[in-house]
Amino acid sequence: MKALVLRGVVATLAAVLCTTVLAALARAAGVDLEVDGGETIPVSGIATVTGFFSLVGVVLAVVLRRWSARPVALFVWLSVTLTALSLVPPLLYGADAATTLTLIGLHLVAAGVMIPNLARGLRA
């Protein structure tokens, strides 16, 4: 269990780093990350949200390892489903296309880091 948690924390740090750097690069390239009402999403906010939901994924993996007969399959199914659902809000924010695509891309990057790492950790 400790190895899974450690793997998850390391993957969380990697996901936070990736999404933070990509958000900063997008902002430098002119993507304003402005959503409904003129509110701009700060890069630090992206880092915080990525870290929080990545750690939720770690907890989910730990719970499934403990109480599921098929933790890997269930984790992957739930994680992919939750990732798909997470793509809906950026479409509803009323942001421009660049911001919407950037936010969707950041969700997919975080999922691309977290899901395979935790699935491998559950197999170990």
Side-chain angles (χ1 to χ4, degrees):
M1 199 69 69
K2 286 182 184 180
L4 176 60
V5 172
L6 179 61
R7 177 186 282 267
V9 169
V10 170
T12 295
L13 294 173
V16 168
L17 179 66
C18 289
T19 57
T20 303
V21 168
L22 291 172
L25 289 173
R27 172 113 357 110
V31 178
D32 58 19
L33 297 177
E34 188 175 295
V35 294
D36 251 348
E39 182 180 346
T40 299
I41 302 171
V43 172
S44 62
I46 288 170
T48 301
V49 171
T50 300
F52 175 79
F53 284 106
S54 295
L55 290 174
V56 168
V58 175
V59 171
L60 177 63
V62 168
V63 167
L64 291 174
R65 174 178 251 179
R66 178 141 173 94
W67 286 294
S68 175
R70 298 178 357 152
V72 177
L74 189 53
F75 174 79
V76 170
W77 183 86
L78 284 170
S79 297
V80 169
T81 300
L82 291 171
T83 300
L85 290 173
S86 81
L87 301 179
V88 174
L91 297 171
L92 303 176
Y93 285 149
D96 63 18
T99 295
T100 301
L101 291 174
T102 299
L103 292 174
I104 288 172
L106 292 172
H107 284 222
L108 295 175
V109 165
V113 171
M114 293 305 298
I115 295 171
N117 272 298
L118 290 172
R120 273 188 233 112
L122 283 168
R123 284 187 185 100

